Amino acid sequence: MRTNVAHFRKFLRNSRGAVTVDYVVLAAAVTAVGLYSTDIIGVGMRSLAGTVDEELSGTSTDTVVGLQYASGFDNGSEGWSGATAQEMNGIGNVLGPIENTSGLPGVSRDFAIDPNATEASFAFDLYAMDDFDGDTGTVFIDGQAVGSVTVDQGVPTFTAASDLAERGIIIRYTEIDKAVNLGGNPDRVDAMSNISITVKNLQENPRENINFGFGSDASAGANNEYFAIDNFTATGLADY
């Protein structure tokens, strides 16, 4: 019994292998801290990426003059004309369906612009649903076309207006989905894109209001093909 106790005491005093044990504990702690900080670092990196993108595109990253409007049309479509907020199967509430407007800005809304704003921006998701076969949706600013999306069998093609530089307008188009079923008729293919518009030089060319409009030349009714707008935002707005 004494021998066993002596061996046990000797074992406790022996430091051989202690470095390995300490390293395992330290490595586990470092791994835990790394996992915990992943989300924090990720948010910071996304914020930095947005700042870099805005700086490269010439947009101020400090403050945005004026108020912001944002609507997913869950609370209706107040202020809009030519279309109402409705629930779309598989997607949720949208502004639409937008049928044939003879290519004119049949759906529109006026936005009051902050007198101190140097620019105003508009961005939204555009859905092209069901049986499109070369039909076009057109985006308007103050009644003039700034870009159009032509959809054929769920595949969209974007065309920007040729005079945007002279008008002080920048438009960006991002294709999100194409030739897939997003909702509506389950036997048809749809398309989804995001469009953002920046109206610049508002101090040199001040405007009290900017009218956003959308039109369609879809040849069939809403049961067969239609456009819809969702997640609409606008910045640089007045507080009245």
Side-chain angles (χ1 to χ4, degrees):
M1 185 67 179
R2 291 178 181 175
T3 303
N4 291 338
V5 171
H7 280 298
F8 182 68
R9 289 175 177 172
K10 182 178 180 181
F11 171 77
L12 292 177
R13 290 194 297 268
N14 195 337
S15 62
R16 185 176 298 173
V19 173
T20 301
V21 174
D22 291 344
Y23 176 78
V24 171
V25 174
L26 180 61
V30 170
T31 301
V33 171
L35 292 173
Y36 177 77
S37 61
T38 298
D39 288 342
I40 298 174
I41 295 173
V43 171
M45 290 299 292
R46 285 191 292 272
S47 176
L48 177 60
T51 299
V52 171
D53 177 70
E54 289 171 344
E55 290 288 358
L56 290 175
S57 62
T59 303
S60 172
T61 60
D62 297 328
T63 58
V64 176
V65 176
L67 301 181
Q68 177 176 342
Y69 166 90
S71 178
F73 303 102
D74 293 325
N75 298 312
S77 54
E78 183 178 356
W80 291 87
S81 63
T84 59
Q86 296 188 35
E87 184 174 0
M88 183 187 297
N89 180 38
I91 295 176
N93 292 313
V94 297
L95 183 68
I98 302 173
E99 303 180 54
N100 191 317
T101 65
S102 300
L104 301 174
V107 176
S108 66
R109 175 173 176 150
D110 285 324
F111 292 91
I113 303 303
D114 190 296
N116 296 315
T118 59
E119 62 183 44
S121 67
F122 308 89
F124 60 97
D125 293 332
L126 179 66
Y127 289 93
M129 306 298 294
D130 295 346
D131 199 21
F132 279 99
D133 52 0
D135 304 285
T136 299
T138 304
V139 183
F140 297 84
I141 292 294
D142 289 335
Q144 292 183 279
V146 295
S148 60
V149 181
T150 300
V151 185
D152 191 1
Q153 304 303 316
V155 178
T157 301
F158 176 75
T159 304
S162 60
D163 61 346
L164 295 183
E166 293 88 339
R167 294 160 59 188
I169 295 176
I170 298 172
I171 188 167
R172 294 182 176 88
Y173 173 84
T174 304
E175 183 182 284
I176 298 176
D177 270 317
K178 65 179 180 180
V180 295
N181 182 264
L182 298 172
N185 191 320
D187 299 323
R188 309 283 172 78
V189 290
D190 313 313
M192 178 186 178
S193 54
N194 179 269
I195 297 175
S196 64
I197 304 159
T198 303
V199 182
K200 303 180 72 66
N201 306 323
L202 292 181
Q203 291 301 303
E204 293 81 357
N205 301 292
R207 312 184 194 188
E208 290 187 5
N209 297 281
I210 292 179
N211 178 270
F212 171 89
F214 185 85
S216 166
D217 67 358
S219 56
N223 291 331
N224 292 305
E225 57 188 25
Y226 59 92
F227 287 98
I229 291 173
D230 198 11
N231 301 319
F232 194 100
T233 62
T235 64
L237 308 182
D239 58 355
Y240 51 81

